[in-house]
Amino acid sequence: MCRILGSFAAGAAAHADRPDPAQLAAVSARQRHGGPDEHAVLTGPGWSLGCDRLAVTDPCGGQQPYRLPHLPGVLAVLNGEIYNHAELRRTLAARGHRFPDRCDGTLLPALYAEYGPSFAEHLDGMFAVAILDLRPGSTRLVLAVDDMGMKPIHLHHDPYDGSTRFASEIPALLAFEGVRISPREDSLDTLLATRTSFSTHTALDGVSVLPPGATAFVRPGAAPVVRRRGPHRITPVGDTQDVLRHEVRRLAEAEVPVCAITSGGLDSGLVTALAAEHARESDAPPLHTFHLTYRGRWPDSEAAYARSVARRTRTVHHEVAVDPDEIGSLLTRTVRHLGQPNADPIALSTYALFRAVRESGFTVALTGDGADELFGGYDRMRAALAAPAGTDWAGTYADALSAAPRLLREHLYTANYRAHIADQGSAADRIEQELRSAEAVGEDRLTAMTAFETRWRLPAYHLRRVDHLSMAWAVEARMPFCQPAVVTHARALPTAARTGKRALYGAGAELLPSAVLRRPKQPFTLPLSAMLAPGSPLLETVRELLSPARLVLGGKVRADRVQKLLTRHRERPSHHDAQALWALAVHELWTEVVQGMRIPAGCAA
């Protein structure tokens, strides 16, 4: 697991200039928190390739960028883990390739030499890979990410000088000269409509993210050409519990300490139970589990459920209690690390939780992310399936994704901004159109929703957040539900089994406490409405960010109507108003933080 970076200019030839070392050092410094163990950058005429390494597989080997003596023209860097690297190494060794160590990424130059641009089709894991092919006559940069988008690559192509730059994190990318900081005009509407950036866009003009399961090809001076690969298919064996057990055991193997995140819900509970079972059967030390809560008495606490899972599975449990007075500083740190606004307050909890994991000495954490998307766990999915034919289920579904429903958004916008969004179209419009188009060609609603959730929503909203905020503390988050075998198994289940997570409830029946199986669904987050109530620690921070002077300067929302929304929430606290206010505040803070990202300084965790 690492952070990677690089550049590829139009003049990637013998006469081109080498990239500025000071600039590359600034880029690396902004994502060094994710790779504190080793740092290296190679440069040549018109190109650079670098890595900040978090040593997990073969910690004593695997120096990046990867180079093999018999393939001097092929360089590679990797962020992530390749779980089938031993099998690939045997295949490549049989073809005459030799490797200096057991690190998973060391085989990448040989894999590329054998299979060319289709090399990524052979990888099973979570990965963001950059291959620099400098062999005569084939000079190009090839970028690839895993099928689910667990590991991101952020890109910028300059149409004026033909250069392409990339980095694992947006703040690092912005440290490259020539990458301009220009928030997208629709960034606020997209945040309010979807709680995150949508599709391959980020909140910044000119900065994109490679879509899940994609490979990008960059020739000198040309714009990246992006192609979606077919899914990496693994035939699962057994029922849901068997398939998940196999993946959990595979991902629980590491040369560094491994723990599990236990929220108290079904998804993380299943991962915890199976990982604890594996630890017992392999005579390993007991599994450690981590759960985050907030000091004081707050509604909707899941701590009792998490303790129940820990007792049942016999783990060493860590209950991390965060002081609510720290939330203001946590907000600034998470916005800075993410590099773009994310309206889910879970970001603060995620950041604080992985901090505790790292401070307790763990480098790898197993999580339950991805289960709801694959196994139909969201309330909005059940509501859409229950909606009669002829009703606007797609519009209702899109509204359920929002931080502020469509009517509230349009009420808050200034006339000019409302007209701009109406003219350009909203992300919500595109979501509705995608869902309606799928149904129009005969795709059933659950399949259409699952495809949308896994293709766009999961990587942008959840996986990018988990990646950035775990790596903010140099923790590798591994997600069994996002592995190809589980994905293939879930998609092959009958509709009834993947609605409301029925298959997962069946898998957990003998593994988890009955109280956890019976409890209503609840997201892992902070009690936002209560924390924005009068006298609470977060209210003043949000009021300051939403001051009339700031909002008038932004010109996108009516300050008087935002103030009325604040007043209404203070008088009658509601989750929906709190969510809208939170999203507005996050966007205001992000516009302030992003302007400071031009300063090429290290970004501390």
Side-chain angles (χ1 to χ4, degrees), residues 7-27:
S7 60
F8 195 60
H15 63 275
D17 294 333
R18 289 176 179 266
D20 178 15
Q23 180 187 145
L24 295 174
V27 175

Side-chain angles (χ1 to χ4, degrees), residues 75-159:
L75 309 176
V77 288
L78 164 70
N79 170 27
E81 293 287 338
I82 300 171
Y83 300 125
N84 65 335
H85 68 94
E87 172 191 339
L88 290 174
R89 185 177 286 102
R90 287 192 295 270
T91 300
L92 293 168
R95 298 187 180 189
H97 295 283
R98 295 294 177 262
F99 306 99
D101 52 49
R102 298 178 295 102
C103 187
D104 53 347
T106 304
L107 56 79
L108 286 169
L111 193 70
Y112 176 82
E114 288 291 333
Y115 300 108
S118 64
F119 77 97
E121 297 172 13
H122 299 266
L123 298 176
D124 174 16
M126 56 176 180
F127 57 85
V129 176
I131 303 282
L132 192 58
D133 187 346
L134 299 174
R135 295 174 298 181
S138 60
T139 302
R140 63 181 165 185
L141 172 68
V142 182
L143 307 169
V145 296
D146 62 77
D147 289 356
M148 298 296 281
M150 290 179 275
K151 295 287 113 181
I153 293 180
H154 295 95
L155 289 168
H156 175 269
H157 176 74
D158 191 327

Side-chain angles (χ1 to χ4, degrees), residues 559-571:
D560 58 331
R561 291 183 175 176
V562 173
Q563 296 309 305
K564 287 180 180 177
L565 185 65
L566 265 168
T567 300
R568 183 172 76 184
H569 179 72
R570 286 199 303 269
E571 294 173 351

Side-chain angles (χ1 to χ4, degrees), residues 443-452 495 498:
E443 199 168 77
D444 67 87
R445 288 183 191 177
L446 183 58
T447 300
M449 289 185 290
T450 300
F452 163 75
T495 299
R498 56 189 173 98

Side-chain angles (χ1 to χ4, degrees), residues 324-335:
D325 289 339
E326 191 189 358
I327 287 178
S329 65
L330 287 176
L331 174 58
T332 301
R333 294 178 196 179
T334 57
V335 169

Side-chain angles (χ1 to χ4, degrees), residues 183 187-189 191-192 203 331-332 335-336 340-343 412-414 417 541-559 562-563 566 580-596:
S187 64
L188 175 61
D189 179 72
L191 182 69
L192 293 177
L331 174 58
T332 301
V335 169
R336 188 177 67 221
Q340 56 183 336
N342 183 302
L412 295 176
Y413 292 161
T414 60
Y417 193 59
T541 298
V542 170
R543 288 178 63 180
E544 181 180 340
L545 287 167
L546 299 181
S547 68
R550 295 182 68 135
L551 297 180
V552 168
L553 185 64
K556 292 183 173 64
V557 294
R558 288 186 50 170
V562 173
Q563 296 309 305
L566 265 168
L581 291 166
W582 178 261
L584 289 165
V586 166
H587 191 269
E588 283 300 311
L589 179 59
W590 171 75
T591 57
E592 175 184 293
V593 168
V594 76
Q595 295 303 324

Side-chain angles (χ1 to χ4, degrees), residues 143 153-157 164-166 173 206-210 216 224:
L143 307 169
I153 293 180
H154 295 95
L155 289 168
H156 175 269
H157 176 74
T164 297
R165 302 170 179 90
F166 70 90
L173 186 63
V207 176
S208 62
V209 62
L210 210 57

Side-chain angles (χ1 to χ4, degrees), residues 405-444:
R406 185 183 292 271
L407 289 177
L408 179 58
R409 296 197 300 273
E410 294 176 352
H411 173 72
L412 295 176
Y413 292 161
T414 60
N416 286 341
Y417 193 59
R418 187 164 56 247
H420 172 78
I421 296 301
D423 181 58
Q424 299 296 317
S426 170
D429 300 329
R430 295 188 286 277
I431 292 170
E432 292 177 31
Q433 181 59 42
E434 179 171 331
L435 295 173
R436 291 189 184 111
S437 297
E439 189 175 43
V441 297
E443 199 168 77
D444 67 87

